[in-house]
């Protein structure tokens, strides 16, 4: 996480802690006092986690499979062939099939 985002999250945490300690402290005043973005402060108070902690929900390939796909694309590039989206999608589908054995598993563009 970049340092700026880390600092913002720290300010949000401090403002939220201050609001927990003082039930009469409003979100706008806490955000202004600690220099935290009001919308993010209120979103964290409602339970929404920061975006860096949420993973990709549409990720089907594991890290080694993803690395193998990248190597395949580089191999095509070095051999003088351009990898188009259809070849990449087919290669990703083959990786999924080899790992799961499910012929219905597929990847989206």
């Amino acid at each position: 996480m970049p340092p700026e985002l880390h600092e913002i999250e720290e300010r949000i945490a401090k403002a939220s802690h201050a609001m927990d300690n003082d039930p009469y402290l409003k979100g706008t005043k806490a955000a202004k006092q600690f220099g935290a973005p009001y919308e993010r402060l209120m979103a964290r108070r409602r339970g929404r986690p920061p975006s860096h902690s949420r993973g990709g929900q549409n990720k089907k390939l594991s890290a080694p499979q993803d690395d193998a796909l990248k190597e395949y694309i580089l191999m095509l590039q070095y051999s003088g062939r351009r990898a188009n989206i259809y070849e990449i999608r087919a290669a990703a589908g083959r990786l999924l099939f080899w790992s799961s054995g499910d012929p219905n598993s597929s990847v989206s563009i």
Side-chain angles (χ1 to χ4, degrees):
M1 181 165 55
E4 183 178 321
L5 292 177
H6 183 67
E7 292 169 4
I8 291 172
E9 290 299 326
E10 283 181 357
R11 285 187 253 149
I12 290 171
K14 288 178 183 176
S16 182
H17 183 67
M19 288 176 70
D20 289 339
N21 290 339
D22 183 6
Y24 297 107
L25 181 63
K26 300 290 181 189
T28 52
K29 289 187 179 183
K32 189 173 184 177
Q33 181 180 355
F34 290 95
Y38 172 75
E39 291 81 14
R40 284 194 204 175
L41 171 63
M42 298 314 291
R44 298 297 180 277
R45 301 273 302 163
R46 290 185 201 105
R48 187 179 80 194
S51 62
H52 72 273
S53 68
R54 293 177 278 172
Q57 285 75 24
N58 58 353
K59 196 162 183 160
K60 287 193 174 185
L61 297 178
S62 64
Q65 290 172 331
D66 193 45
D67 292 339
L69 185 60
K70 289 176 189 174
E71 290 293 324
Y72 175 70
I73 293 169
L74 286 174
M75 182 196 68
L76 288 176
Q77 181 181 357
Y78 290 137
S79 67
R81 292 187 61 206
R82 230 174 66 129
N84 60 27
I85 193 69
Y86 303 108
E87 290 177 346
I88 295 171
R89 191 172 178 190
R94 285 192 299 270
L95 286 169
L96 277 178
F97 175 73
W98 289 335
S99 66
S100 68
D102 182 16
N104 295 327
S105 61
S106 65
V107 292
S108 62
I109 292 176

